[in-house]
Amino acid sequence: GITEFIICCGHMGYVIKEYFANYFLHMSDITIDMSTNQMEVHHKNAEPWKVTLVDTGDITQTGGRIKRIKEHINGTFCLTYGDGLCDIDINQLIRFHKIQGTEVTVTAIQPAGRYGAIEIAESRVITFIEKPRGDGNWISGGYFVCEPDIFERIEGDHTIWEQEPLEGLAGENQLAVF
């Protein structure tokens, strides 16, 4: 089936728009004849996606970017940042969210340490551990399932999603964790 994506485009939006505008070209083998200025497309590949790109401006905060997609949303939707990569079972995440009955479900992870840790005695390393386990705290994994009610929690472009909206949801027991 067709999967629909809505992408907020900020200061690097032109790169994202160019990529999707030329997606068919990017996903196919091509021959370009420079002498005749012609292009032949081979092995046409494309996903069954519908992509809406929303220009949210250069200085709009994370909450404001979400608010600007409101007119394109008509039910439960998934939300993530542009720099995330995970192996979450999205169907399982959505089922979990529906069972919880909350406005938002956030994924939580326990990250590993970021650097090689060393223990030092005098001028010698006595222990070296590459990327040790983290401190045991849970953090937002950056993947959310949301109900359209959340748009009412976002005042405008200056709203930071990770502050008032999420803090308010947590305080009202409307933020589930997966």
Side-chain angles (χ1 to χ4, degrees), residues 1 5 27 31 39 55 58 69 73-74 84-86 99 102 107 122 134-135 145 155 164:
F5 298 94
M27 296 305 294
T31 299
M39 179 176 64
D55 188 344
D58 290 346
I69 67 168
I73 300 296
N74 59 16
L85 181 62
C86 75
I99 291 168
T102 56
T107 57
E122 297 177 16
D135 58 11
V145 181
E155 189 174 320
E164 296 90 3

Side-chain angles (χ1 to χ4, degrees), residues 148-169:
D149 296 350
I150 65 144
F151 294 114
E152 303 310 314
R153 296 180 176 273
I154 302 169
E155 189 174 320
D157 284 357
H158 65 279
T159 304
I160 298 172
W161 170 244
E162 302 80 7
Q163 291 179 355
E164 296 90 3
L166 287 180
E167 291 170 3
L169 287 161

Side-chain angles (χ1 to χ4, degrees), residues 114-126:
R114 293 178 52 194
Y115 307 104
I118 60 175
E119 186 177 343
I120 300 170
E122 297 177 16
S123 61
R124 297 290 186 264
V125 173
I126 58 172

